[in-house]
Amino acid sequence: MVFKVGLGFDSHRLVAGRPLIIGGINIPASAGCLAHSDGDVLVHALMDALLGAAGLGDIGQKFPETDPAYKNISSLELLQTVMVEIKASGLVVLNADSIVILEKPRLASFIPQMKDRLSPLLALNPSSLGIKAKTAEGLGEVGAGRAVEAWATVLLAG
Ligand code: MG
């Protein structure tokens, strides 16, 4: 058996008038992600971790921002596409861990819903999907409430 670790990162600018969708959950907020897709920063980081671990490139190559097919698309649909490729490569996800860094609103109460939404798509038990929420303590663009970031790691086996 071969084990493969993947690392993913994503960030998005926050602007008024856009929905804030993180981990597939629509979070009530005064600003959302400026993006070509729905801007789900956590799912984007997870997808890049999956693709990186499997040697399948990255989401920028798979789902170009210039392609109108992906305009405002749910990132959950993109994740399902990525998982089809992961499975086709003979790989399974053993676990995933992640961090979302957002100044406001606080995300802790939404994490169980995010786990319930994402773990079936990753073919994981919710206990094998880590999602942690942090603030930036007022530092930088994230701390000023102008951006959101996410990091993710995955472990694949095949
Ligand atoms: Mg993104």
Side-chain angles (χ1 to χ4, degrees), residues 85-96:
E85 294 197 26
I86 296 293
K87 287 173 190 165
S89 300
L91 297 164
V92 296
V93 184
L94 294 186
N95 83 302

Side-chain angles (χ1 to χ4, degrees), residues 1-57:
M1 181 168 289
V2 172
F3 296 99
K4 299 189 172 197
V5 170
L7 172 65
F9 169 79
D10 195 32
S11 62
H12 282 277
R13 191 180 297 271
L14 293 171
V15 295
R18 287 275 302 182
L20 182 63
I21 297 169
I22 300 179
I25 303 300
N26 202 329
I27 312 285
S30 57
C33 290
L34 184 63
H36 185 62
S37 68
D38 68 358
D40 192 326
V41 69
L42 173 55
V43 173
H44 292 183
L46 281 166
M47 288 193 291
D48 261 353
L50 291 163
L51 292 168
L56 293 171

Side-chain angles (χ1 to χ4, degrees), residues 83-151:
M83 283 303 297
V84 167
E85 294 197 26
I86 296 293
K87 287 173 190 165
S89 300
L91 297 164
V92 296
V93 184
L94 294 186
N95 83 302
D97 195 14
S98 62
I99 304 170
V100 180
I101 312 164
L102 177 70
E103 205 66 13
K104 64 179 183 214
R106 296 299 171 105
L107 296 175
S109 63
F110 296 98
I111 287 176
Q113 295 173 64
M114 294 180 194
K115 287 188 179 186
D116 286 346
R117 186 68 54 89
L118 297 182
S119 54
L121 300 179
L122 295 163
L124 281 177
N125 187 297
S127 64
S128 295
L129 172 60
I131 302 175
K132 303 181 295 293
K134 298 182 72 71
T135 73
E137 299 278 342
L139 297 169
E141 292 298 303
V142 176
R146 292 194 287 267
V148 56
E149 293 180 348
W151 292 89

